[in-house]
Amino acid sequence: MTDTAGTAHGPGLGASAAGDGPARRRRRRWVRRAALGLAASVAAAAGGGWLLYAALNANITSDDAAARELARYERERPTALVKGAQNILLIGSDTRSGDGNARYGRDLGSERSDTTILLHLAANRRSATAVSLPRDLMVDVPRCLRTDGSRSAPVFTMFNSAYSVGGSACSIRTVEKLTGVRIDHHVVVDFSGFKEMVDAVDGVQVCLKEPVHDRAAKLSLPAGEVELDGEQALGFVRARESLGDGSDTERMERQQQFLGALVNKMQSSDVLLNPVKLYPVLDAATSSLTADPELASLRGLYQLVRGLRNIPIKQVQFLTVPRKSYVHDANRDQLVEPAAGKLFALLRADQPVAVTRGVPGKTARPGGDTGSRGIPSPAPTFRGSTAAEHGCA
C-alpha cells in the first residue's frame, strides 16, 4: 500500500507480514483456553474418579486384629488343597452398636453371629456353594483372644458364642476345626449394612406361598410376588416367632431364599456389568463391611465380584450343613454323620456338590468312578436349592 506521495509503508496497524490480525490472535487464545479447559476437565475427571475410588476404598474396615490372631495360629490351620478355589466366611453380626442398629434390641455388651455362611467358590468359577451353619450347632470352640486381652478356655458350646467370645478370628478357627476347610477370606455385615445393600439394588423380589403377618419383625406382606425394601428384607430373614414353625431351620431356609433372589436381581439387572448401577451397590456394601485385609479394598472386592459374575444361576447353590437335634438338648443342634463329613470333604477337594429340595438320596458322580482326589463315588446329594429356584418368574 502507498500514500499520496508514493511512499511505501510496511504492514498496517494490527497486521503482520504473516497476516496475523486480531481475529487470528483471538482464535489462538480461544484454542489455548479450550485446550487448558479440556486438560482441566480430564484432570478433574481423573481426580473425581480417584476421589470416588478413595472414598469407597476408605469405607471398608480392615479386620487387622483377626489377621494377627489367625497368623498366631497358622500352624494349626488347615492347608488349602486346590489352587484357585476360595472359601469365604460370611458373618451377619447382631451387634446393637453403630448407626441404626440399637433399634433392633438391647445392647447386652457383646455381639453374636446372627447368621454364618461358608461360601465356597470353585477354582474354575463355574459354581458357588453357600453352606449355612446353624447358630445353635454344638461345636468345639478353641482358646480365643477376648476384647479385653485375656484368653478364653476351650469349650464345647453353641457355635454363635465363638463370635461373642473372640470375634471373627474365633469364628474362623471354630469353622476350620469343625470342617477342615481353610477359610481364605471373611466378611462381617451388620443390620444397617444389610438394609443398605438391599436398598442399593432397589429392593429384592421374593415369592411368598402365604401372607406374612409378624408383629415382632414389623412385617405385613401379601402372598405372591412381593418386593422387599431393606427394612422389610431384614425382618424377613430374621423373623422366627410367627413365620413357619418358628425354628431356626425355617429361618435359614428363608435366608437362603432371599440370597437366591438377590443373586437373581443382581444378574438380571446387570448390576455387576453396569458402572452406574454398580456404584451405589459398592458404596452401600463398602460402608457396611468389615473384611480381612486382603479383601478390604475395592481391588480385592472387584477381583471377587469378577469371579462371581459368570457363574450360571443354576450353579449357585444353597444348603444347610447336615444336622439334627442335639442328643442332650432338643433346642440345640449336632452334625449328622457321615453326611456332614462327606460335604466337608467335597468342599476341601473342590468337588461338585449336588442339592435337591426333596429327601436327600444318592446320586452317581459323572463317570461313576472314585474322584481324582480320592473321594468315593457315588457322591451324596444334600437337601438344598439353587438361586434359579428362588426367582419369581
Side-chain angles (χ1 to χ4, degrees):
M1 182 170 64
T2 60
D3 59 18
T4 55
T7 303
H9 290 280
L13 294 174
S16 71
D20 192 1
R24 187 174 182 87
R25 282 211 300 272
R26 284 196 298 269
R27 285 196 300 272
R28 284 186 173 179
R29 285 196 297 270
W30 182 88
V31 170
R32 283 197 298 271
R33 289 170 181 167
L36 288 173
L38 179 61
S41 297
V42 171
W50 170 250
L51 288 175
L52 290 176
Y53 178 91
L56 292 176
N57 208 51
N59 279 347
I60 311 172
T61 301
S62 178
D63 199 348
D64 299 320
R68 290 192 297 269
E69 181 70 354
L70 292 173
R72 176 188 177 97
Y73 291 96
E74 179 59 38
R75 289 186 178 181
E76 72 178 38
R77 299 183 64 196
T79 301
L81 298 182
V82 181
K83 184 178 180 180
Q86 293 279 297
N87 296 297
I88 305 166
L89 197 65
L90 307 177
I91 302 172
S93 168
D94 70 354
T95 180
R96 300 308 195 267
S97 63
D99 292 342
N101 290 323
R103 62 185 296 189
Y104 299 107
R106 292 187 301 113
D107 187 351
L108 301 177
S110 65
E111 54 184 296
R112 297 194 177 192
S113 49
D114 197 57
T115 299
T116 305
I117 294 174
L118 173 57
L119 175 64
H120 174 79
L121 305 179
N124 62 8
R125 295 301 188 269
R126 299 302 294 168
S127 69
T129 302
V131 181
S132 295
L133 300 172
R135 62 184 190 174
D136 295 336
L137 186 67
M138 298 301 291
V139 297
D140 289 308
V141 176
R143 178 181 172 87
C144 293
L145 179 66
R146 295 191 181 101
T147 55
D148 63 3
S150 64
R151 290 194 175 272
S152 64
V155 61
F156 183 69
T157 186
M158 293 189 303
F159 169 66
N160 71 337
S161 66
Y163 190 77
S164 177
V165 169
S168 51
C170 194
S171 291
I172 290 168
R173 292 178 57 223
T174 300
V175 171
E176 289 183 338
K177 185 178 182 66
L178 178 73
T179 66
V181 174
R182 171 80 178 208
I183 303 300
D184 302 292
H185 300 292
H186 70 278
V187 174
V188 181
V189 183
D190 62 19
F191 295 154
S192 292
F194 176 84
K195 293 192 303 180
E196 290 171 5
M197 277 287 295
V198 175
D199 288 334
V201 295
D202 297 324
V204 174
Q205 190 179 71
V206 296
C207 299
L208 303 178
K209 295 180 179 179
E210 56 188 34
V212 172
H213 300 290
D214 190 302
R215 183 172 298 178
K218 299 179 181 179
L219 282 180
S220 182
L221 305 171
E225 299 180 4
V226 180
E227 190 87 12
L228 302 181
D229 61 22
E231 189 71 41
Q232 293 170 323
L234 181 62
F236 181 73
V237 299
R238 294 189 67 230
R240 296 181 69 173
E241 294 182 7
S242 62
L243 280 181
D245 60 10
S247 68
D248 204 37
T249 298
E250 289 209 358
R251 193 175 77 130
M252 286 187 292
E253 289 179 353
R254 283 198 307 278
Q255 292 169 352
Q256 293 167 6
Q257 176 190 358
F258 182 82
L259 289 174
L262 177 60
V263 171
N264 266 298
K265 178 66 177 282
M266 298 280 279
Q267 287 207 0
S268 63
S269 301
D270 292 328
V271 171
L272 300 181
L273 302 176
N274 187 330
V276 175
K277 295 180 179 179
L278 183 59
Y279 175 78
V281 177
L282 285 177
D283 187 38
T286 55
S287 64
S288 62
L289 293 184
T290 297
D292 60 276
E294 187 176 344
L295 201 59
S297 68
L298 277 186
R299 179 180 178 83
L301 286 177
Y302 173 74
Q303 290 175 340
L304 175 63
V305 170
R306 186 179 182 185
L308 291 173
R309 64 187 182 187
N310 293 324
I311 298 178
I313 200 77
K314 291 183 179 180
Q315 294 303 316
V316 179
Q317 302 183 120
F318 300 92
L319 69 150
T320 300
V321 64
R323 92 275 189 245
K324 61 183 178 182
S325 293
Y326 180 46
V327 64
H328 298 299
D329 187 344
N331 294 318
R332 303 290 180 258
D333 291 322
Q334 68 182 59
L335 294 179
V336 171
E337 297 293 1
K342 290 179 179 178
L343 172 62
F344 301 149
L346 290 171
L347 297 177
R348 286 194 298 270
D350 195 33
Q351 292 290 322
V353 174
V355 299
T356 177
R357 278 189 173 276
V359 178
K362 297 288 186 178
T363 181
R365 183 189 307 281
D369 298 322
T370 299
S372 61
R373 297 186 181 276
I375 297 176
S377 184
T381 299
F382 302 93
R383 189 174 187 276
S385 59
T386 71
E389 298 175 58
H390 293 305
C392 289

